[in-house]
Amino acid sequence: MKPLRSALLRASQSTWLRERIPRYRFARRTVERFMPGEEAEHALAAAQRLEQTGLHTIVSHLGENVAHRAEATVVTQHYLDVLEKIREREMRSELSIKLTQLGFDLDEDFCLENFLEIATQVPPEKMLWVDMEQSPYVDPILGFIRRARKTCPNVGACVQAYLFRTERDVEALIAEGAAVRLVKGAYNEPPEIAYPRKADVDENYFRLAQMLLGTDARRRGVRAAIGTH
């Protein structure tokens, strides 16, 4: 992994920087190219502008793993509020949820209750996407998604192209007819399990995209979302 990317990943995990950097105007101007703001209203306003050009969006709440159930309850209500705003504005935007913000580290059953509270409010023609997290979470998150899909079939999985294992995961998800969102991956993973070179990640990304857009995936009704960031 390149030193600059490693440094940025470490910086992203710094509480001190997270609290102070947004205070600087130059930092806000730089970030606006990728993030419209810190509030849900900012994200939805940007999504509406994109929708007018024919682009549909997935919105997410960025943040850390929660340490208490009360925090997970607050995040759950936040997503419900955002869903209501999307309905009021008649937007086509969809949500993507980070399970560790809903209490995944605390109790999976508690997390599932929170998740299904949101999922049952999502219209059947839309997806509720689940973010993928660091490699130790991959199997637990995929297992959670399979469990959730028994109640709400319109739940989609995110997979990361930089992990060696992802081709097998994509094959399994296609066989299940699941919706899959493909991204490159942003965590600092060891070279034993992830491609360290960007060129290799890009090549694998292209291969996985071909699988998700291929004949077998279409025949099984797989919905593919391509997130190149």
Side-chain angles (χ1 to χ4, degrees), residues 183-200:
V183 301
K184 292 184 178 179
Y187 295 99
N188 191 0
E189 302 286 2
E192 293 79 21
I193 65 170
Y195 296 101
R197 296 177 60 247
K198 181 181 182 299
D200 294 330

Side-chain angles (χ1 to χ4, degrees), residues 7-22 64:
L8 289 172
L9 287 171
R10 286 195 298 271
S12 71
Q13 298 168 353
S14 168
T15 302
W16 188 89
L17 286 174
R18 185 167 60 250
E19 292 175 350
R20 287 163 177 78
I21 288 295
E64 304 301 316

Side-chain angles (χ1 to χ4, degrees), residues 38-45 47 57-61 74-91 93-97 118 121-123 126 128:
E38 297 184 72
E39 304 296 333
E41 291 295 333
H42 299 148
L44 295 177
T57 57
I58 297 173
V59 295
S60 184
H61 178 266
V74 169
V75 175
T76 302
Q77 186 58 52
H78 170 77
Y79 275 114
L80 290 170
D81 292 343
V82 172
L83 270 178
E84 181 60 29
K85 288 181 171 68
I86 289 172
R87 270 195 294 268
E88 290 172 353
R89 301 180 188 203
E90 299 182 346
M91 297 170 61
S93 295
E94 296 175 335
L95 300 181
S96 186
I97 291 179
I118 300 166
Q121 298 303 310
V122 175
K126 289 187 175 183
L128 178 60

Side-chain angles (χ1 to χ4, degrees), residues 1 17 36-37 48 91 95 129 139 172 182 199 208 212 215 226:
M1 176 176 290
L17 286 174
Q48 280 187 303
M91 297 170 61
L95 300 181
W129 299 95
D139 279 322
L182 176 64
L208 296 172
L212 289 169
T215 302
I226 307 299

